[in-house]
Amino acid sequence: MSEMSFEQLLEASLKTIRTGEVVEGTVIDVKEDEIILNIGYKADGIITRNEYSNTPNLDLREVVHVGDTLQAKVLKVNDGEGQVLLTYKRLAAEKGNKRLEEAYENHEVLTAKVAQVLDGGLSVVVEETRVFIPASLVSDVYEKNLSKYDGQEISFVISEFNPRKRRIIGDRKQLLLAEKAQRQQELLSRISDGMIVEGKVKNITDFGAFIDLGGADGLLHISEMSWGRVDNPKKFLKVGDDIKVLIKDIQGDKIALSLKFPETNPWLTAAEKYAVGNVVEGKVARMTDFGAFVELEPGVDALLHVSQISRDHVDKPSDVLSVGQEITAKVVDFNEADHKISLSIKALENAQKQDEETAEVE
């Protein structure tokens, strides 16, 4: 056997590689856009920035260091310059696909940072594999602007897995709905009619306000905001206000709230304040053809009949009264059971007239 040259012996000691093969090597040099690996072959392996990561303008010196061990897949045995062209990200993507397939089959919750905000949703990367989360599956409420999620870590599940069509879909919405349902169930299990709880004003409409009770929303109807009359909920409450509310009624997952606490009911002391014969002051709240309704205090209205407005004849209340006008009158009837009070300015004028006549006689 003829003796082999040193070069032949060296070449024989080095392994052979093929395109598509997975190799392992040690980093011997790192540049901003290129990694050089010793892969135990006659030529070094090269991983360009584009074949390392999908992150644009990534400085490889910040993520890889000399002496690190990396696995990569062979793209070309000879890149034209005698070096082996390798890919790290494609191998990672294959591993990522495997990881995502398992997560899809096991309904596993994944957490990843949002890599990019797109027009139609969010893009996240799991082990170098991109997952698209459509805007409709980002939240349980409609969100027009998704920019707040940029760079944020979010949790999701894989709802569709089709790597051949490059269609891997994430779903965050179902997690939020499940979490919301759990919080709602926990809240409903610990509250009951008549309880006073704390909440935060979440949204205000013309008919009332929705109050976040820390697990579910309750409706505070405009008619339950005060013992008195509330014309505009937005003038009465503000979004973000912290308030204590009374649980009025629970029907399934619907919670009716009230600010009309029983102990503050003005009718508890009305019998004493508005006893027949008492002279009271009030404000004209509204008028009809037969009389005017006078607010004596929030929650307590009284009727001033057109025949009791004056000793003189009055055709319509609006001829002599206006909404918001302060008046003084005498209570001529009090019905606690029906919450009805009748007033009379005429009776007050008659009494005053009588007092004047008595004084003249004396």
Side-chain angles (χ1 to χ4, degrees):
M1 182 182 296
S2 59
E3 292 188 0
M4 299 175 67
S5 66
F6 174 77
E7 289 78 7
Q8 289 172 324
L9 286 170
L10 179 61
E11 187 169 340
S13 69
L14 297 172
K15 61 185 179 182
T16 59
I17 58 174
R18 297 181 302 274
T19 300
E21 183 178 344
V22 176
V23 297
E24 186 172 277
T26 303
V27 178
I28 57 176
D29 192 19
V30 185
K31 301 176 183 178
E32 181 182 354
D33 58 356
E34 186 178 81
I35 301 168
I36 303 175
L37 288 176
N38 177 1
I39 57 174
Y41 185 62
K42 61 184 179 182
D44 291 331
I46 302 296
I47 304 175
T48 63
R49 176 161 51 197
N50 289 339
E51 288 299 334
Y52 179 82
S53 173
N54 287 317
T55 304
N57 302 318
L58 175 66
D59 188 340
L60 297 177
R61 295 170 297 185
E62 296 179 359
V63 292
V64 178
H65 304 93
V66 172
D68 289 350
T69 300
L70 294 179
Q71 279 192 337
K73 178 178 277 193
V74 177
L75 287 179
K76 290 182 181 179
V77 175
N78 188 334
D79 65 353
E81 296 181 2
Q83 295 172 313
V84 181
L85 185 59
L86 305 173
T87 178
Y88 175 82
K89 76 173 185 182
R90 299 189 203 187
L91 179 61
E94 289 177 8
K95 293 178 179 179
N97 275 344
K98 180 71 174 175
R99 173 81 180 85
L100 292 173
E101 184 177 15
E102 292 174 354
Y104 171 68
E105 293 174 349
N106 297 326
H107 306 287
E108 181 183 348
V109 177
L110 301 172
T111 300
K113 185 178 290 187
V114 175
Q116 196 174 5
V117 177
L118 307 171
D119 288 340
L122 305 176
S123 174
V124 299
V125 178
V126 178
E127 297 185 18
E128 291 303 321
T129 302
R130 287 194 176 274
V131 178
F132 178 64
I133 304 177
S136 60
L137 299 180
V138 169
S139 177
D140 58 335
V141 295
Y142 172 71
E143 291 189 298
K144 185 177 181 180
N145 188 359
L146 300 178
S147 59
K148 70 177 184 180
Y149 292 102
D150 193 17
Q152 188 181 124
E153 276 202 343
I154 61 173
S155 295
F156 55 94
V157 292
I158 304 299
S159 59
E160 187 176 341
F161 182 78
N162 193 337
R164 289 185 179 180
K165 292 185 178 180
R166 293 185 178 180
R167 186 173 173 82
I168 304 176
I169 303 298
D171 186 343
R172 180 173 178 262
K173 179 180 179 178
Q174 65 174 272
L175 295 182
L176 296 177
L177 289 175
E179 184 181 333
K180 185 176 181 180
Q182 183 178 352
R183 290 200 311 269
Q184 183 184 67
Q185 197 59 40
E186 290 174 354
L187 175 70
L188 291 172
S189 68
R190 67 173 187 267
I191 63 173
S192 57
D193 294 1
M195 287 182 65
I196 295 176
V197 296
E198 294 183 353
K200 187 181 289 289
V201 179
K202 184 177 179 179
N203 187 30
I204 303 175
T205 68
D206 291 337
F207 59 83
F210 289 95
I211 312 299
D212 182 357
L213 302 177
D217 293 345
L219 174 61
L220 177 61
H221 193 269
I222 186 173
S223 62
E224 293 294 331
M225 288 185 172
S226 171
W227 288 107
R229 187 174 292 102
V230 176
D231 295 321
N232 187 347
K234 292 181 180 179
K235 291 183 178 180
F236 189 77
L237 292 171
K238 292 180 181 178
V239 172
D241 282 351
D242 292 315
I243 61 172
K244 288 186 178 181
V245 288
L246 174 72
I247 304 291
K248 184 182 179 186
D249 184 47
I250 302 174
Q251 296 290 336
D253 60 354
K254 294 182 179 180
I255 306 171
L257 305 174
S258 178
L259 287 176
K260 294 160 73 169
F261 303 103
E263 65 273 16
T264 63
N265 188 340
W267 282 93
L268 293 176
T269 56
E272 182 180 351
K273 288 182 181 178
Y274 310 115
V276 173
N278 284 4
V279 176
V280 296
E281 294 181 348
K283 183 184 294 184
V284 177
R286 61 191 189 280
M287 287 186 282
T288 67
D289 290 339
F290 61 83
F293 287 94
V294 178
E295 183 183 62
L296 300 178
E297 63 177 289
V300 180
D301 286 355
L303 173 64
L304 176 62
H305 194 270
V306 64
S307 63
Q308 299 300 316
I309 291 176
S310 174
R311 296 179 66 203
D312 299 325
H313 176 73
V314 176
D315 289 325
K316 292 187 301 180
S318 57
D319 289 340
V320 293
L321 297 174
S322 59
V323 173
Q325 181 179 341
E326 299 277 354
I327 62 109
T328 302
K330 180 178 284 191
V331 178
V332 293
D333 187 50
F334 180 86
N335 185 332
E336 186 171 11
D338 295 331
H339 287 185
K340 290 183 178 179
I341 302 174
S342 295
L343 303 178
S344 175
I345 296 177
K346 181 178 178 180
L348 190 60
E349 290 176 343
N350 286 337
Q352 291 172 344
K353 182 67 174 176
Q354 188 174 2
D355 289 343
E356 290 173 359
E357 291 175 349
T358 300
E360 286 177 3
V361 171
E362 292 177 351

